[in-house]
């Protein structure tokens, strides 16, 4: 149920994905010229054996698998994104390969500019 006590009439299910999780930040301009500006690897841990995994840290990385950036660029083109920032979350699934979890037309939720400047110089 939604807030306001209305009933959901649709459900979206996603296959369980197993593998490392990444956030890919891009900036697009013009007619869909996309540039990857940062790649983050999320690390999650279980606090107890039967507990869900929770975020432990986000690590800004420079040695990412090229396939994840290719998947994000393809997804941006497929959705028609032309200009502005995007923050895309993806899991590099053990059997399916790079799989998009979500695409957001916004900047990363971290305090992105100072973190990136500090990490990359």
């Amino acid at each position: 149920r939604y807030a306001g006590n209305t009933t959901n009439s649709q459900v979206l299910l996603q296959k369980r994905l197993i593998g490392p999780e990444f956030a890919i930040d891009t900036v697009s301009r013009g007619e869909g010229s996309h540039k990857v500006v940062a790649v983050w690897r999320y690390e999650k841990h279980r606090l107890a054996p039967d507990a869900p995994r929770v975020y432990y840290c986000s690590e800004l990385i420079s040695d990412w698998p090229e396939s994840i950036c290719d998947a994000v660029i393809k997804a941006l083109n497929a959705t028609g994104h032309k200009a502005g920032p995007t923050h895309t979350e993806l899991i590099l699934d053990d059997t399916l390969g790079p799989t998009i979890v979500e695409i957001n037309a916004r900047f990363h939720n971290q305090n992105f500019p100072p973190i990136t400047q500090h990490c990359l110089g």
Side-chain angles (χ1 to χ4, degrees):
R1 295 193 175 270
Y2 289 108
N5 207 27
T6 60
T7 303
N8 296 332
S9 62
Q10 298 177 349
V11 174
L12 173 65
L13 298 176
Q14 182 174 12
K15 179 181 169 86
R16 182 169 184 233
L17 302 169
I18 299 173
E21 185 174 351
F22 298 90
I24 299 89
D25 296 313
T26 61
V27 175
S28 306
R29 63 184 197 137
E31 288 301 311
S33 172
H34 312 294
K35 180 168 180 65
V36 173
V37 295
V39 177
W40 304 81
R41 182 178 12 246
Y42 290 157
E43 187 174 335
K44 296 180 179 179
H45 291 255
R46 292 186 192 279
L47 301 178
D50 60 346
R53 297 175 346 138
V54 295
Y55 286 98
Y56 178 73
C57 73
S58 299
E59 176 188 10
L60 183 62
I61 62 173
S62 60
D63 59 339
W64 57 77
E66 193 170 318
S67 63
I68 66 174
C69 294
D70 293 342
V72 169
I73 300 300
K74 286 179 185 174
L76 294 176
N77 289 331
T79 59
H81 184 79
K82 302 282 187 203
T86 60
H87 172 76
T88 303
E89 296 185 8
L90 172 149
I91 293 178
L92 188 54
D93 185 77
D94 295 341
T95 57
L96 298 174
T99 305
I100 302 292
V101 174
E102 62 182 65
I103 300 174
N104 301 284
R106 61 166 171 78
F107 289 108
H108 195 102
N109 273 343
Q110 304 279 353
N111 192 359
F112 184 71
I115 292 172
T116 305
Q117 182 65 35
H118 179 75
C119 292
L120 301 177

